[in-house]
Amino acid sequence: ELFNLAMITGKLGKTANGLISLKEKNNAQGIFDMGICPTLGVGAVGIKDKDLVARMKKVWKVKSLPKEVNESQFERLEKGKLKNVFIFGEDPLGCTDDKVKVAGWLTVADFVVVSDYFMTDTAMQADLVLPASFPIESGGTFTNTQKVIQGFEPAFKRGAELSSLEQLAALMKHLDIKQKGNPEAVMSEIVKLLPAGDKEEKFVFRNTDGTNTYRLFSHGCDYIVKRFDEEFDKEFDH
């Protein structure tokens, strides 16, 4: 609806004249831009875009890509079809208002892996907990709400033997997927997959049938955000 509003007012794409949608969790924009939505690829480009498909084949050195998957992963989770669950940097059990539903997801799954900085409510229910490294310990990038990628270097020595990225790279190696465990390698691949910027984008209105007020998680599903919110509110209760 914000997109449609910007279209109606003629503000879309104009410097300092648009709308900025502030996210509840930092780098939420980066997650969308890196392809968390099944219909989008890197750079929030349609996953079926011919130029993107060609770039993915070239960068990943493959001749073909998997066919489109129409089945909802969320529905599969709710129906208990996902038997192995990897929860990366989120605390769904601690941040939900429906603990029975989320606890059921974790109970039905055969094996649950959690990667996080603290022993969250979700981590307490996991079969395996991987000690995550803080961004300030490993470096990397954040994407702000204006889709600008911002890189940063590690400022502290990490406590864990391997950073979160190195752990993921090691796990992927066992699945015969080659991946370097450093932020520079990831950024290099991102740049190769991003759109060139010379392609004119066609903006269209997106019709909605109703209002979706369903909200399952608070605090961006993140323990640190939850901890800050609770401590912040507590100070004003005195």
Side-chain angles (χ1 to χ4, degrees):
E1 298 301 343
L2 289 174
F3 181 90
N4 289 341
L5 177 61
M7 290 273 288
I8 292 171
T9 57
K11 305 293 186 181
L12 190 65
K14 294 183 179 179
T15 303
N17 282 289
L19 296 170
I20 297 177
S21 176
L22 299 179
K23 279 60 169 187
E24 191 170 32
K25 178 72 175 71
N26 65 321
N27 209 35
Q29 184 64 52
I31 294 176
F32 282 108
D33 287 348
M34 291 302 107
I36 192 66
C37 178
T39 61
L40 299 175
V42 174
V45 178
I47 197 66
K48 294 181 179 180
D49 183 85
K50 294 181 179 180
D51 292 337
L52 176 62
V53 171
R55 287 195 298 273
M56 288 190 292
K57 289 180 179 180
K58 182 178 179 180
V59 173
W60 297 338
K61 299 178 181 179
V62 295
K63 295 182 179 179
S64 62
L65 294 172
K67 294 182 179 179
E68 183 180 2
V69 178
N70 293 317
E71 189 171 5
S72 168
Q73 297 303 307
F74 181 72
E75 289 182 3
R76 295 185 69 196
L77 179 64
E78 284 200 308
K79 294 178 181 179
K81 293 183 178 181
L82 300 181
K83 298 303 181 182
N84 299 298
V85 180
F86 189 171
I87 302 172
F88 182 78
E90 293 188 333
D91 182 20
L93 186 58
C95 295
T96 184
D97 293 329
D98 194 341
K99 290 186 178 294
V100 175
K101 176 190 285 288
V102 177
W105 298 344
L106 303 178
T107 302
V108 171
D110 292 339
F111 196 76
V112 177
V113 180
V114 169
S115 173
D116 215 322
Y117 319 118
F118 301 100
M119 281 301 295
T120 64
D121 291 349
T122 306
M124 293 292 289
Q125 302 300 317
D127 298 291
L128 176 65
V129 178
L130 300 178
S133 58
F134 288 98
I136 200 171
E137 295 177 319
S138 57
T141 63
F142 284 114
T143 304
N144 68 19
T145 198
Q146 292 177 292
K147 296 190 175 185
V148 177
I149 299 176
Q150 304 167 106
F152 59 94
E153 300 295 327
F156 292 98
K157 184 179 179 180
R158 63 174 181 265
E161 180 180 353
L162 299 177
S163 69
S164 299
L165 190 55
E166 289 171 339
Q167 291 179 35
L168 287 173
L171 289 172
M172 292 173 71
K173 184 178 180 180
H174 287 284
L175 299 174
D176 293 327
I177 301 175
K178 296 181 180 180
Q179 172 65 57
K180 293 182 179 179
N182 61 76
E184 294 77 18
V186 175
M187 186 61 192
S188 176
E189 182 171 315
I190 291 173
V191 171
K192 294 175 183 176
L193 292 174
L194 286 173
D198 55 353
K199 187 176 182 180
E200 184 176 349
E201 184 176 359
K202 183 178 180 181
F203 297 114
V204 295
F205 288 106
R206 302 174 185 177
N207 298 326
T208 53
D209 297 326
T211 301
N212 180 7
T213 58
Y214 181 67
R215 179 180 173 86
L216 187 57
F217 303 108
S218 299
H219 317 291
C221 202
D222 186 275
Y223 173 81
I224 294 182
V225 178
K226 175 188 175 185
R227 181 171 174 175
F228 174 84
D229 289 343
E230 291 177 344
E231 292 182 0
F232 186 84
D233 292 340
K234 186 177 180 181
E235 290 299 318
F236 285 91
D237 291 337
H238 295 314

Coordinates of all heavy atoms in Angstrom, one line a residue, residues 33-99:
D33 N 16.4 -8.2 -0.4 CA 17.3 -8.0 -1.6 C 18.1 -9.1 -1.9 O 18.6 -9.3 -3.1 CB 18.2 -6.7 -1.3 CG 17.4 -5.4 -1.4 OD1 16.2 -5.5 -1.8 OD2 17.9 -4.4 -1.0
M34 N 18.4 -10.0 -1.0 CA 19.2 -11.2 -1.2 C 18.4 -12.4 -1.6 O 18.9 -13.5 -1.8 CB 20.1 -11.5 0.0 CG 21.2 -10.5 0.2 SD 22.3 -10.3 -1.3 CE 21.7 -8.7 -1.9
G35 N 17.1 -12.3 -1.7 CA 16.3 -13.4 -2.2 C 15.5 -14.2 -1.2 O 15.2 -15.4 -1.5
I36 N 15.2 -13.7 -0.1 CA 14.4 -14.5 0.9 C 13.0 -14.8 0.4 O 12.4 -15.8 0.7 CB 14.3 -13.8 2.3 CG1 13.8 -14.7 3.4 CG2 13.4 -12.5 2.2 CD1 14.7 -15.8 3.7
C37 N 12.5 -14.0 -0.5 CA 11.2 -14.2 -1.1 C 11.3 -15.1 -2.3 O 12.2 -14.9 -3.1 CB 10.5 -12.9 -1.5 SG 8.9 -13.1 -2.3
P38 N 10.6 -16.2 -2.4 CA 10.8 -17.2 -3.4 C 10.5 -16.6 -4.9 O 11.0 -17.2 -5.8 CB 9.8 -18.3 -3.1 CG 8.7 -17.6 -2.3 CD 9.5 -16.6 -1.5
T39 N 9.8 -15.5 -4.9 CA 9.6 -14.9 -6.3 C 10.6 -13.9 -6.7 O 10.6 -13.4 -7.8 CB 8.2 -14.2 -6.3 OG1 8.2 -13.1 -5.3 CG2 7.1 -15.2 -5.9
L40 N 11.6 -13.6 -5.8 CA 12.6 -12.6 -6.1 C 14.0 -13.2 -6.0 O 14.3 -14.1 -5.2 CB 12.5 -11.4 -5.2 CG 11.2 -10.7 -5.2 CD1 11.2 -9.6 -4.1 CD2 11.0 -10.0 -6.5
G41 N 14.9 -12.7 -6.8 CA 16.3 -13.1 -6.7 C 17.1 -11.9 -6.1 O 16.6 -11.0 -5.6
V42 N 18.5 -12.0 -6.2 CA 19.3 -11.0 -5.7 C 19.0 -9.7 -6.3 O 18.9 -9.6 -7.6 CB 20.8 -11.4 -5.9 CG1 21.8 -10.3 -5.5 CG2 21.1 -12.7 -5.1
G43 N 19.0 -8.6 -5.5 CA 18.6 -7.3 -6.0 C 17.1 -7.1 -6.1 O 16.7 -6.1 -6.7
A44 N 16.3 -8.0 -5.5 CA 14.9 -7.9 -5.6 C 14.4 -7.9 -7.0 O 13.3 -7.4 -7.3 CB 14.4 -6.7 -4.9
V45 N 15.1 -8.6 -7.9 CA 14.7 -8.8 -9.3 C 13.8 -10.1 -9.4 O 14.1 -11.1 -8.7 CB 15.9 -8.9 -10.2 CG1 15.5 -9.2 -11.6 CG2 16.7 -7.6 -10.1
G46 N 12.8 -10.1 -10.2 CA 12.0 -11.3 -10.4 C 12.8 -12.5 -10.7 O 13.7 -12.5 -11.5
I47 N 12.6 -13.6 -10.0 CA 13.4 -14.8 -10.1 C 13.4 -15.4 -11.6 O 14.3 -16.1 -11.9 CB 12.9 -15.9 -9.1 CG1 14.0 -17.0 -8.9 CG2 11.6 -16.5 -9.5 CD1 15.3 -16.5 -8.3
K48 N 12.4 -15.0 -12.4 CA 12.3 -15.5 -13.7 C 12.9 -14.6 -14.7 O 12.9 -14.8 -15.9 CB 10.8 -15.8 -14.1 CG 10.2 -16.9 -13.3 CD 8.7 -17.1 -13.8 CE 8.0 -18.2 -13.0 NZ 6.6 -18.4 -13.5
D49 N 13.5 -13.4 -14.3 CA 14.1 -12.5 -15.1 C 15.2 -13.1 -15.9 O 16.1 -13.7 -15.4 CB 14.6 -11.3 -14.3 CG 15.2 -10.2 -15.2 OD1 14.5 -9.3 -15.7 OD2 16.5 -10.2 -15.4
K50 N 15.2 -13.0 -17.3 CA 16.1 -13.7 -18.1 C 17.6 -13.3 -17.8 O 18.5 -14.1 -17.8 CB 15.8 -13.4 -19.6 CG 14.4 -14.1 -20.0 CD 14.2 -13.8 -21.5 CE 12.9 -14.5 -21.9 NZ 12.6 -14.2 -23.4
D51 N 17.8 -12.0 -17.6 CA 19.1 -11.5 -17.3 C 19.7 -12.1 -16.0 O 20.8 -12.5 -15.9 CB 19.2 -10.0 -17.3 CG 18.9 -9.3 -18.6 OD1 19.2 -10.0 -19.7 OD2 18.5 -8.2 -18.7
L52 N 18.8 -12.1 -15.0 CA 19.2 -12.7 -13.7 C 19.5 -14.2 -13.8 O 20.5 -14.6 -13.3 CB 18.1 -12.4 -12.7 CG 18.4 -13.1 -11.3 CD1 19.6 -12.5 -10.7 CD2 17.2 -12.9 -10.4
V53 N 18.6 -14.9 -14.5 CA 18.8 -16.3 -14.7 C 20.2 -16.6 -15.4 O 20.9 -17.5 -15.0 CB 17.7 -16.9 -15.6 CG1 18.0 -18.4 -15.9 CG2 16.4 -16.9 -14.8
A54 N 20.5 -15.8 -16.4 CA 21.8 -15.9 -17.1 C 23.0 -15.6 -16.2 O 24.0 -16.4 -16.2 CB 21.8 -15.0 -18.3
R55 N 22.8 -14.6 -15.3 CA 23.9 -14.3 -14.4 C 24.1 -15.4 -13.4 O 25.2 -15.8 -13.0 CB 23.6 -13.0 -13.7 CG 23.8 -11.7 -14.6 CD 23.9 -10.5 -13.8 NE 22.7 -10.2 -13.0 CZ 21.6 -9.6 -13.5 NH1 21.6 -9.1 -14.7 NH2 20.5 -9.4 -12.8
M56 N 23.0 -15.9 -12.8 CA 23.1 -17.0 -11.8 C 23.8 -18.2 -12.4 O 24.6 -18.9 -11.8 CB 21.7 -17.4 -11.3 CG 21.1 -16.3 -10.4 SD 19.5 -16.8 -9.6 CE 18.4 -17.0 -10.9
K57 N 23.4 -18.6 -13.6 CA 24.1 -19.8 -14.3 C 25.6 -19.5 -14.4 O 26.4 -20.4 -14.2 CB 23.4 -20.0 -15.6 CG 22.0 -20.6 -15.6 CD 21.5 -20.8 -17.0 CE 20.1 -21.4 -16.9 NZ 19.5 -21.7 -18.3
K58 N 25.9 -18.3 -14.8 CA 27.4 -18.0 -15.0 C 28.1 -18.0 -13.7 O 29.2 -18.6 -13.6 CB 27.5 -16.6 -15.7 CG 28.9 -16.2 -16.1 CD 29.0 -14.9 -16.8 CE 30.4 -14.5 -17.1 NZ 30.5 -13.2 -17.8
V59 N 27.6 -17.3 -12.7 CA 28.3 -17.2 -11.4 C 28.4 -18.5 -10.7 O 29.4 -18.8 -10.1 CB 27.6 -16.1 -10.6 CG1 28.2 -16.1 -9.1 CG2 27.7 -14.7 -11.2
W60 N 27.3 -19.3 -10.8 CA 27.3 -20.6 -10.1 C 27.8 -21.7 -10.9 O 27.9 -22.9 -10.5 CB 25.9 -20.9 -9.6 CG 25.4 -19.9 -8.6 CD1 26.1 -19.0 -7.8 CD2 24.0 -19.6 -8.3 NE1 25.3 -18.2 -7.0 CE2 24.0 -18.5 -7.3 CE3 22.8 -20.0 -8.8 CZ2 22.8 -18.0 -6.8 CZ3 21.6 -19.5 -8.2 CH2 21.6 -18.5 -7.2
K61 N 28.2 -21.4 -12.2 CA 28.8 -22.4 -13.1 C 27.9 -23.6 -13.2 O 28.3 -24.8 -13.1 CB 30.2 -22.8 -12.6 CG 31.1 -21.6 -12.6 CD 32.5 -22.0 -12.0 CE 33.4 -20.8 -12.0 NZ 34.8 -21.2 -11.4
V62 N 26.6 -23.4 -13.5 CA 25.6 -24.5 -13.8 C 25.0 -24.2 -15.1 O 24.9 -23.1 -15.6 CB 24.6 -24.5 -12.7 CG1 25.2 -24.9 -11.3 CG2 23.8 -23.2 -12.5
K63 N 24.5 -25.3 -15.7 CA 23.8 -25.2 -17.0 C 22.3 -25.1 -16.9 O 21.6 -24.6 -17.8 CB 24.1 -26.5 -17.8 CG 25.6 -26.6 -18.2 CD 25.8 -27.9 -19.0 CE 27.3 -28.0 -19.5 NZ 27.5 -29.2 -20.3
S64 N 21.7 -25.4 -15.7 CA 20.3 -25.3 -15.5 C 20.0 -25.0 -14.0 O 20.9 -25.2 -13.2 CB 19.6 -26.6 -15.9 OG 20.0 -27.7 -15.1
L65 N 18.9 -24.4 -13.8 CA 18.4 -24.1 -12.4 C 17.2 -24.9 -12.1 O 16.4 -25.3 -13.0 CB 18.2 -22.6 -12.3 CG 19.4 -21.7 -12.5 CD1 19.0 -20.2 -12.6 CD2 20.4 -21.9 -11.3
P66 N 16.9 -25.1 -10.8 CA 15.7 -25.8 -10.4 C 14.4 -25.1 -10.9 O 14.4 -23.9 -11.1 CB 15.7 -25.8 -8.8 CG 17.2 -25.6 -8.5 CD 17.7 -24.7 -9.6
K67 N 13.4 -25.9 -11.1 CA 12.1 -25.4 -11.6 C 11.5 -24.7 -10.4 O 11.8 -24.8 -9.3 CB 11.2 -26.5 -12.1 CG 11.7 -27.2 -13.3 CD 10.8 -28.3 -13.8 CE 11.3 -29.0 -15.1 NZ 10.3 -30.0 -15.5
E68 N 10.5 -23.8 -10.8 CA 9.8 -23.0 -9.8 C 9.1 -23.9 -8.7 O 8.5 -24.9 -9.1 CB 8.8 -22.1 -10.4 CG 8.1 -21.2 -9.5 CD 7.1 -20.2 -10.2 OE1 7.0 -20.4 -11.4 OE2 6.5 -19.4 -9.5
V69 N 9.2 -23.5 -7.5 CA 8.6 -24.3 -6.4 C 7.4 -23.4 -5.9 O 7.6 -22.3 -5.4 CB 9.5 -24.5 -5.2 CG1 8.8 -25.2 -4.1 CG2 10.7 -25.3 -5.7
N70 N 6.2 -23.9 -6.1 CA 5.0 -23.2 -5.8 C 4.5 -23.4 -4.4 O 3.7 -22.7 -3.8 CB 3.9 -23.5 -6.8 CG 4.2 -23.0 -8.2 OD1 4.7 -21.9 -8.3 ND2 3.9 -23.8 -9.2
E71 N 4.9 -24.5 -3.8 CA 4.4 -24.9 -2.5 C 5.0 -23.9 -1.4 O 6.2 -23.6 -1.4 CB 4.9 -26.3 -2.1 CG 4.2 -26.9 -0.8 CD 4.5 -28.3 -0.7 OE1 5.2 -28.9 -1.4 OE2 3.9 -28.9 0.3
S72 N 4.1 -23.5 -0.5 CA 4.5 -22.5 0.5 C 5.3 -23.2 1.6 O 4.9 -24.2 2.2 CB 3.3 -21.9 1.2 OG 3.6 -21.2 2.4
Q73 N 6.5 -22.7 1.9 CA 7.4 -23.3 2.9 C 6.8 -23.1 4.3 O 6.9 -23.9 5.2 CB 8.8 -22.7 2.9 CG 9.5 -22.9 1.6 CD 9.7 -24.4 1.3 OE1 10.2 -25.2 2.1 NE2 9.3 -24.8 0.1
F74 N 6.0 -22.0 4.5 CA 5.4 -21.8 5.8 C 4.3 -22.8 6.0 O 4.2 -23.3 7.1 CB 4.8 -20.4 5.8 CG 4.1 -20.0 7.1 CD1 4.9 -19.8 8.3 CD2 2.8 -19.9 7.2 CE1 4.3 -19.5 9.5 CE2 2.1 -19.6 8.4 CZ 2.9 -19.4 9.6
E75 N 3.5 -23.1 5.0 CA 2.5 -24.1 5.1 C 3.1 -25.5 5.4 O 2.6 -26.3 6.2 CB 1.7 -24.2 3.9 CG 0.8 -23.0 3.7 CD -0.1 -23.1 2.4 OE1 -0.1 -24.2 1.8 OE2 -0.9 -22.2 2.1
R76 N 4.3 -25.8 4.8 CA 4.9 -27.1 5.0 C 5.4 -27.1 6.5 O 5.3 -28.2 7.1 CB 6.1 -27.2 4.1 CG 5.8 -27.3 2.6 CD 7.0 -27.6 1.8 NE 7.5 -28.9 2.1 CZ 8.8 -29.3 1.7 NH1 9.6 -28.5 1.1 NH2 9.2 -30.5 2.0
L77 N 5.9 -26.0 7.0 CA 6.3 -25.9 8.4 C 5.1 -26.2 9.4 O 5.2 -27.0 10.3 CB 6.9 -24.6 8.7 CG 7.4 -24.3 10.2 CD1 8.5 -25.3 10.5 CD2 7.9 -22.9 10.3
E78 N 3.9 -25.5 9.1 CA 2.8 -25.7 9.9 C 2.2 -27.1 9.9 O 1.7 -27.6 10.9 CB 1.7 -24.7 9.5 CG 2.0 -23.2 9.9 CD 0.7 -22.4 9.9 OE1 0.0 -22.4 8.8 OE2 0.4 -21.8 10.9
K79 N 2.3 -27.7 8.7 CA 1.8 -29.1 8.6 C 2.8 -30.2 9.1 O 2.5 -31.4 9.0 CB 1.4 -29.4 7.1 CG 0.3 -28.5 6.6 CD 0.0 -28.8 5.1 CE -1.2 -27.9 4.6 NZ -1.5 -28.2 3.2
G80 N 4.0 -29.7 9.5 CA 4.9 -30.7 10.0 C 5.7 -31.5 9.0 O 6.2 -32.5 9.3
K81 N 5.7 -30.9 7.8 CA 6.4 -31.6 6.7 C 7.9 -31.4 6.7 O 8.7 -32.1 6.0 CB 5.8 -31.2 5.3 CG 4.4 -31.7 5.1 CD 3.9 -31.3 3.7 CE 2.5 -31.8 3.4 NZ 2.0 -31.4 2.1
L82 N 8.4 -30.3 7.4 CA 9.8 -30.0 7.4 C 10.4 -30.7 8.6 O 10.1 -30.4 9.8 CB 10.0 -28.5 7.6 CG 9.5 -27.6 6.4 CD1 9.8 -26.2 6.7 CD2 10.1 -28.1 5.1
K83 N 11.2 -31.8 8.4 CA 11.7 -32.6 9.4 C 13.0 -32.1 10.0 O 13.4 -32.4 11.1 CB 11.8 -34.0 8.9 CG 10.5 -34.7 8.5 CD 9.5 -34.6 9.7 CE 8.2 -35.3 9.3 NZ 7.2 -35.2 10.4
N84 N 13.8 -31.4 9.2 CA 15.1 -30.8 9.6 C 15.0 -29.3 9.5 O 14.8 -28.8 8.4 CB 16.2 -31.3 8.8 CG 16.4 -32.9 8.9 OD1 16.6 -33.4 10.0 ND2 16.2 -33.5 7.8
V85 N 15.1 -28.6 10.6 CA 14.9 -27.1 10.7 C 16.2 -26.4 11.2 O 16.7 -26.8 12.2 CB 13.7 -26.8 11.6 CG1 13.5 -25.3 11.6 CG2 12.4 -27.5 11.1
F86 N 16.6 -25.5 10.4 CA 17.8 -24.7 10.8 C 17.3 -23.2 11.0 O 16.9 -22.5 10.1 CB 18.8 -24.7 9.6 CG 20.2 -24.1 10.0 CD1 21.2 -24.2 9.1 CD2 20.3 -23.3 11.2 CE1 22.5 -23.6 9.5 CE2 21.6 -22.8 11.5 CZ 22.6 -22.9 10.6
I87 N 17.4 -22.8 12.3 CA 16.9 -21.4 12.6 C 18.2 -20.6 12.8 O 19.0 -20.8 13.8 CB 16.1 -21.5 13.9 CG1 14.9 -22.4 13.7 CG2 15.6 -20.1 14.3 CD1 14.0 -22.6 14.9
F88 N 18.3 -19.6 12.0 CA 19.6 -18.8 11.9 C 19.4 -17.4 12.5 O 18.7 -16.6 11.8 CB 20.1 -18.8 10.5 CG 21.4 -18.0 10.3 CD1 22.6 -18.6 10.6 CD2 21.4 -16.8 9.8 CE1 23.8 -18.0 10.5 CE2 22.6 -16.1 9.6 CZ 23.8 -16.7 10.0
G89 N 19.8 -17.2 13.7 CA 19.8 -15.8 14.3 C 18.4 -15.3 14.6 O 18.2 -14.1 14.7
E90 N 17.5 -16.2 14.9 CA 16.1 -15.7 15.3 C 15.6 -16.5 16.5 O 16.1 -17.6 16.7 CB 15.2 -15.8 14.1 CG 15.5 -14.9 12.9 CD 14.4 -14.9 11.9 OE1 13.7 -15.9 11.7 OE2 14.2 -13.9 11.2
D91 N 14.7 -15.9 17.2 CA 14.1 -16.6 18.4 C 12.6 -16.6 18.2 O 11.9 -15.9 18.9 CB 14.5 -15.8 19.6 CG 14.0 -16.4 20.9 OD1 13.7 -17.6 20.9 OD2 13.9 -15.7 21.9
P92 N 12.1 -17.5 17.3 CA 10.6 -17.5 17.1 C 9.8 -17.9 18.4 O 8.8 -17.3 18.6 CB 10.5 -18.6 16.0 CG 11.7 -19.4 16.0 CD 12.8 -18.4 16.5
L93 N 10.3 -18.8 19.2 CA 9.6 -19.2 20.4 C 9.6 -18.1 21.4 O 8.5 -17.9 22.1 CB 10.2 -20.5 21.0 CG 9.5 -21.1 22.2 CD1 8.1 -21.5 21.7 CD2 10.3 -22.3 22.7
G94 N 10.6 -17.3 21.5 CA 10.7 -16.3 22.5 C 10.0 -15.0 22.1 O 9.7 -14.1 22.9
C95 N 9.7 -14.8 20.8 CA 9.2 -13.6 20.3 C 7.8 -13.7 19.7 O 7.2 -12.8 19.2 CB 10.1 -13.0 19.1 SG 11.8 -12.6 19.6
T96 N 7.2 -14.8 20.0 CA 5.8 -15.0 19.4 C 4.7 -14.9 20.5 O 5.0 -15.1 21.7 CB 5.6 -16.4 18.8 OG1 4.3 -16.6 18.3 CG2 5.8 -17.5 19.9
D97 N 3.5 -14.5 20.1 CA 2.4 -14.5 21.0 C 1.7 -15.8 21.1 O 0.8 -16.0 21.9 CB 1.4 -13.3 20.6 CG 2.0 -11.9 20.8 OD1 2.9 -11.8 21.7 OD2 1.7 -11.1 20.0
D98 N 2.0 -16.7 20.2 CA 1.4 -18.0 20.1 C 2.4 -19.1 20.3 O 2.9 -19.8 19.4 CB 0.7 -18.2 18.7 CG -0.2 -19.4 18.7 OD1 -0.1 -20.2 19.6 OD2 -1.1 -19.4 17.8
K99 N 2.9 -19.2 21.6 CA 3.9 -20.1 21.9 C 3.5 -21.6 21.6 O 4.4 -22.4 21.3 CB 4.3 -20.0 23.4 CG 5.1 -18.7 23.6 CD 5.6 -18.6 25.1 CE 6.4 -17.3 25.3 NZ 7.6 -17.3 24.5

